[in-house]
Amino acid sequence: MGWGGGWGTEPLDDAGREAVDATARQALGAALAAGITTVDTADIYAHGRSEETLGRLLAAEPGLRDRFHLQTKCGILVGGSPLHGEAATRYDSSPAHVRASITASLARLGTQRIDTLIIHRPDVLTDPAETVGAYLEAQAEGVVGRLGVSNMPLAWVRRFDDALRAASGGAEGLVCVQLEMGLHRRALVESVVLANHPEAAPSAGMGGLVEFVRERGITLQAWGSLAQGMFTRHGPGEATAAAVATVAGVARELETSREAVVLAWLVRLPWGIRPVIGSLTPARIADCGQAADVARRMDAEQWYRLWTAARGEQLP
Ligand SMILES: NC(=O)c1ccc[n+]([C@@H]2O[C@H](COP(=O)([O-])OP(=O)(O)OC[C@H]3O[C@@H](n4cnc5c(N)ncnc54)[C@H](OP(=O)(O)O)[C@@H]3O)[C@@H](O)[C@H]2O)c1
């Protein structure tokens, strides 16, 4: 999301393009070296400049496209963005918008194929069956591989998955659901663990989602998985000092980085969560690459200690 120079609406000049390309090239190099094999972008990130930046990297390095799984998203029209010319932000998963978005993303990325297309947010005005129809047309043309959704409650994940299974004759269902999850966003964990408790976090439609995606073989992806640094840096927007200290303490015990501990808290769950990281800093990306190993070594006491510290109160 950080590739492409942020959320300003002015186009980049040559120097700006060179700067964003250098940042993205270094981040991608660090990610591939760390064993990260998926790149997550979206049509709207930096108003199209994220995809354009990736497109320039791909054009400059033959063979690079084959080294990672590419996922992008559509379905949000950002108010004031030069991309869609909308006055106010709205969602659109209509077949016409989905097809036009795929075409525009392929052009910005300069590639023939998007491996996974993610519907960014639920558009209540469009029946998921219609969106699925547009996706299957694009898939039949060979330009999209699989379908995922993002920021949707269980009811909508089910509607999309049912629609896709029905329209594909059972050949496929959704491949992933991307949600904000981490030590700072614990609703999915707490919807499971704090059931029947007066202080249970509102599950916001996510109760039962974990069991559903596991039954259907859908991968959970966690965006915001580094909690934007809340637990690993000192400064504004940080978590409580006790939570920051607990993360640092577990990192010392496991002889690893604090970032790996924050990600491992998600990966340690027996739910197959794939963290999506938004770091542009090569050293931090390398640290994140330790998360799977750290999750294997993190014991239950450490996991519960992290959860309790992030909650800021004892478990019931
Ligand atoms: N589906 C959706 O609706 C949705 C929404 C948002 C994002 N996403 C996807 O998920 C990805 C990750 O989300 P995100 O970027 O919001 O979350 P994130 O990975 O939690 O946060 C990344 C940001 O936190 C900073 N950061 C992390 N640790 C830090 C530390 N110790 N000190 C200082 N800064 C630190 C990074 O700075 P550095 O660059 O310096 O490391 C970067 O700016 C995005 O890139 C995007 O692909 C999806």
Side-chain angles (χ1 to χ4, degrees):
M1 187 168 70
W3 297 4
W7 290 99
T9 53
E10 290 301 313
L12 298 176
D13 58 17
D14 288 348
R17 262 194 301 277
E18 272 175 37
V20 300
D21 288 5
T23 301
R25 194 178 304 109
Q26 284 170 11
L28 181 57
L32 293 171
I36 294 168
T37 53
T38 297
V39 173
D40 179 83
T41 183
D43 56 351
I44 56 169
Y45 291 167
H47 308 295
R49 295 192 304 268
S50 170
E51 288 183 334
E52 286 170 357
T53 303
L54 182 53
R56 287 193 297 276
L57 299 197
L58 292 173
E61 197 178 325
L64 180 60
R65 176 66 187 84
D66 299 329
R67 295 183 61 197
F68 59 84
H69 184 98
L70 172 57
Q71 62 184 33
T72 192
K73 314 184 193 76
C74 68
I76 301 179
L77 291 79
V78 177
S81 169
L83 209 54
H84 299 113
E86 297 286 315
T89 295
R90 67 183 180 90
Y91 307 146
D92 188 349
S93 303
S94 65
H97 180 70
V98 168
R99 292 308 309 267
S101 298
I102 292 169
T103 303
S105 286
L106 288 169
R108 281 189 291 266
L109 291 160
T111 186
Q112 308 290 316
R113 181 181 161 93
I114 294 160
D115 294 315
T116 297
L117 178 74
I118 295 181
I119 305 301
H120 215 149
R121 287 190 180 269
D123 167 16
V124 291
L125 300 182
T126 303
D127 185 333
E130 293 179 43
T131 312
V132 160
Y135 152 73
L136 285 172
E137 280 174 19
Q139 190 197 48
E141 292 164 13
V143 294
V144 176
R146 296 291 302 269
L147 184 69
V149 297
S150 174
N151 305 307
M152 296 199 191
L154 169 60
W156 274 68
V157 176
R158 186 193 300 276
R159 286 182 68 185
F160 265 95
D161 195 58
D162 284 348
L164 182 49
R165 283 169 192 272
S168 67
E172 65 172 302
L174 290 178
V175 68
C176 64
V177 179
Q178 196 177 106
L179 301 168
E180 187 174 18
M181 279 185 269
L183 278 172
H184 67 309
R185 284 278 179 281
R186 302 177 304 274
L188 204 63
V189 174
E190 298 189 353
S191 72
V192 174
V193 188
L194 294 184
N196 192 32
H197 186 267
E199 287 162 22
S203 68
M206 306 225 291
L209 184 66
V210 171
E211 289 70 22
F212 180 79
V213 297
R214 294 189 74 196
E215 274 165 31
R216 302 263 179 130
I218 302 169
T219 300
L220 277 174
Q221 296 184 353
W223 66 265
S225 52
L226 288 172
Q228 285 92 28
M230 271 174 66
F231 294 89
T232 49
R233 70 166 167 233
H234 300 284
E238 69 179 25
T240 64
V244 171
T246 301
V247 169
V250 173
R252 274 194 303 277
E253 290 160 23
L254 294 172
E255 297 181 339
T256 188
S257 65
R258 293 164 302 164
E259 282 78 6
V261 167
V262 167
L263 298 181
W265 185 78
L266 286 170
V267 178
R268 176 70 169 78
L269 285 156
W271 301 347
I273 295 175
R274 310 293 304 273
V276 185
I277 59 165
S279 177
L280 300 177
T281 303
R284 207 174 337 271
I285 294 168
D287 285 343
C288 292
Q290 303 161 6
D293 171 59
V294 174
R296 280 189 288 273
R297 295 189 288 117
M298 180 180 283
D299 65 26
E301 188 278 330
Q302 288 163 327
W303 188 89
Y304 274 93
R305 188 159 21 115
L306 289 164
W307 181 33
T308 306
R311 265 170 60 76
E313 58 180 312
Q314 290 297 324
L315 301 185

